[in-house]
Amino acid sequence: MTYSQVKALILAALTLRPSGQKVLVAAHEQAEVAILDYIEQHISASSGSLLRSAHATSVAKTNCDLTWNTSFSDTDYAFTVNGFDEMGNPVEIELMLKSATKITVKTLLVAHLTAIANPY
């Protein structure tokens, strides 16, 4: 249930009822249960770790997918990617695509990549 849906139930139960009509117990109860469900939904969504991670080994000059261990609901997240070649030297990483489930990058060398992300 969205914020707008919960608000609509509250308004319908309390202020949008016909003039002179008492607050209906059933409508009031429905609005209160919706509030509790909305709160629980957000507690459940935020109780797990917000950080996501991804690991991969890239092939030189080829797109490489770093798939998040838990998908995001949209692309509103920040991320950082580190990559190192076989000798342990950092490599340049170019972002090709960002989606809710992964980022696609490209490197000029074979590299071991690690990414972390955090929703806004």
Side-chain angles (χ1 to χ4, degrees), residues 49-72:
S49 174
L50 294 178
L51 287 179
R52 309 309 203 267
S53 63
H55 308 277
T57 299
S58 68
V59 175
K61 301 177 186 175
T62 303
N63 286 354
C64 177
D65 291 336
L66 288 156
T67 303
W68 301 119
N69 60 331
T70 303
S71 295
F72 290 94

Side-chain angles (χ1 to χ4, degrees), residues 1 6 30 32-43:
M1 184 162 275
V6 172
Q30 182 183 18
E32 287 187 39
V33 169
I35 291 169
L36 292 172
D37 288 345
Y38 182 78
I39 292 168
E40 182 63 28
Q41 170 186 332
H42 287 281
I43 289 172

